[in-house]
Amino acid sequence: MDGYCLHGQVDRARRIFKIMIDKGIEPNIISYTILINGYCKKKKVDEAMQLFCEISQKGSKPDVVTYNTILQGLFKVGRIGHAKKFFAEMLSAGPIPNFYTHGIVLNGYFKYGLVAEALLLFSKLERKRENTNIIFYNIVIGGLCKNGKLDKARAIFENLPLIGVLPNVRTFTIMINGLCLEGFLDEAKDILRKMEDNGCFPDNVTYNVVVQGYLRCNKICEMATFMKEIAGKGFSFDATTTGFLINVIRENPSVLDIILELHLRSKK
């Protein structure tokens, strides 16, 4: 069943499920969750919900993984109201939410612009010190940046050392990307330097984010200077940067000469 679901063949997985029952093998919560997950990945959330109800009718109790799977599916298809109601039911009568539950809900709220709801949940969790590791903060900082709440994201980012949570490379990259999206390239570079000073070294994603910032603002000379600085650090353009670069070259073909020169220099 799991193999079929992983390959998107949920109908075949369902037939295996039926064969199990016909042979007198009672499905357990793991079997149900595998099939529910298969339906959710195919965006067939109604079928997943029917199975979820069937679990309770047969006297079993859905576990936290089952709840997380349904929540993920509801957010995936944009059924926000149902997701909020389902989460509320989980809080009142279901298993205790874990880190993944809160991550799913926070990501869902931010994805659909429900910033107030996301911040309310964030505040509750932070007060209780529940699941407040760096991955949790990465979700919140990234969600705020994507929803135009840069000042709030910056405040949370700057507060991390004060509460004893160490930012990782993803945290720095998320914050740098948020600043670049708003055109604060100098501040983004300052954070890049602090990142290196703290022994948390940028990766290719970080460098691409900065280059995209320069391209987005059409600051080609500054981009060239930055690329000279990172020459020899294994930097390569990702798909997003390449897309930006192609558009810039169409408008200004001389940029291609700069890129070729930098490429040859990095090979020496």
Side-chain angles (χ1 to χ4, degrees):
M1 282 173 57
D2 194 33
Y4 281 134
C5 286
L6 287 171
H7 286 84
Q9 299 176 23
V10 68
D11 292 335
R12 290 191 175 187
R14 186 63 188 254
R15 286 200 288 272
I16 299 293
F17 186 79
K18 186 177 183 302
I19 290 170
M20 285 174 59
I21 296 171
D22 291 344
K23 289 182 176 292
I25 303 171
E26 191 65 31
N28 60 17
I29 194 62
I30 297 174
S31 307
Y32 275 106
T33 303
I34 286 171
L35 196 53
I36 287 171
N37 188 45
Y39 278 125
C40 286
K41 284 184 175 179
K42 297 288 285 186
K43 297 185 178 181
K44 296 183 176 181
V45 180
D46 288 334
E47 288 88 338
M49 290 297 292
Q50 287 175 5
L51 276 175
F52 181 84
C53 294
E54 187 179 310
I55 296 171
S56 301
Q57 290 168 1
K58 295 203 171 182
S60 298
K61 283 189 176 182
D63 61 13
V64 67
V65 178
T66 317
Y67 272 90
N68 289 351
T69 303
I70 293 288
L71 272 172
Q72 186 92 54
L74 289 169
F75 279 118
K76 187 174 184 178
V77 297
R79 289 167 63 172
I80 313 305
H82 286 93
K84 290 170 73 173
K85 183 179 177 182
F86 191 77
F87 181 50
E89 290 174 1
M90 182 181 185
L91 293 173
S92 63
I96 297 171
N98 60 13
F99 170 79
Y100 297 102
T101 315
H102 293 136
I104 289 166
V105 175
L106 283 169
N107 269 317
Y109 285 168
F110 281 123
K111 179 180 179 180
Y112 295 101
L114 304 177
V115 178
E117 287 91 336
L119 289 177
L120 181 61
L121 177 59
F122 168 68
S123 297
K124 288 179 180 177
L125 295 174
E126 197 173 40
R127 282 198 301 271
K128 294 179 181 178
R129 303 297 295 168
E130 289 184 14
N131 302 326
T132 50
N133 65 27
I134 193 57
I135 298 174
F136 170 81
Y137 283 99
N138 288 348
I139 292 170
V140 175
I141 294 169
L144 288 168
C145 287
K146 288 175 182 176
N147 281 277
K149 305 292 183 183
L150 182 61
D151 287 343
K152 182 66 177 174
R154 187 192 282 117
I156 293 172
F157 173 77
E158 291 175 350
N159 195 50
L160 290 176
L162 302 178
I163 60 174
V165 179
L166 293 177
N168 58 21
V169 63
R170 180 157 175 75
T171 321
F172 280 106
T173 302
I174 289 168
M175 194 67 242
I176 289 169
N177 186 49
L179 290 165
C180 287
L181 286 171
E182 296 292 333
F184 296 107
L185 298 174
D186 290 339
E187 187 177 347
K189 282 196 70 176
D190 286 342
I191 290 182
L192 186 67
R193 301 289 176 258
K194 290 176 184 176
M195 181 180 183
E196 295 168 341
D197 292 342
N198 290 341
C200 184
F201 296 101
D203 59 14
N204 198 55
V205 178
T206 316
Y207 291 134
N208 269 280
V209 161
V210 179
V211 172
Q212 288 165 28
Y214 283 123
L215 288 171
R216 194 180 289 109
C217 295
N218 203 30
K219 295 189 174 183
I220 307 304
C221 292
E222 290 88 339
M223 182 201 74
T225 302
F226 176 71
M227 290 183 66
K228 288 176 185 176
E229 292 176 17
I230 63 172
K233 292 190 177 181
F235 169 77
S236 59
F237 293 123
D238 64 17
T240 303
T241 308
T242 302
F244 274 117
L245 196 57
I246 290 169
N247 290 332
V248 171
I249 290 171
R250 281 175 182 157
E251 296 178 6
N252 185 1
S254 64
V255 173
L256 183 59
D257 295 332
I258 297 173
I259 300 301
L260 290 172
E261 180 189 343
L262 289 167
H263 176 71
L264 292 171
R265 184 176 298 181
S266 67
K267 295 295 182 182
K268 291 180 181 179

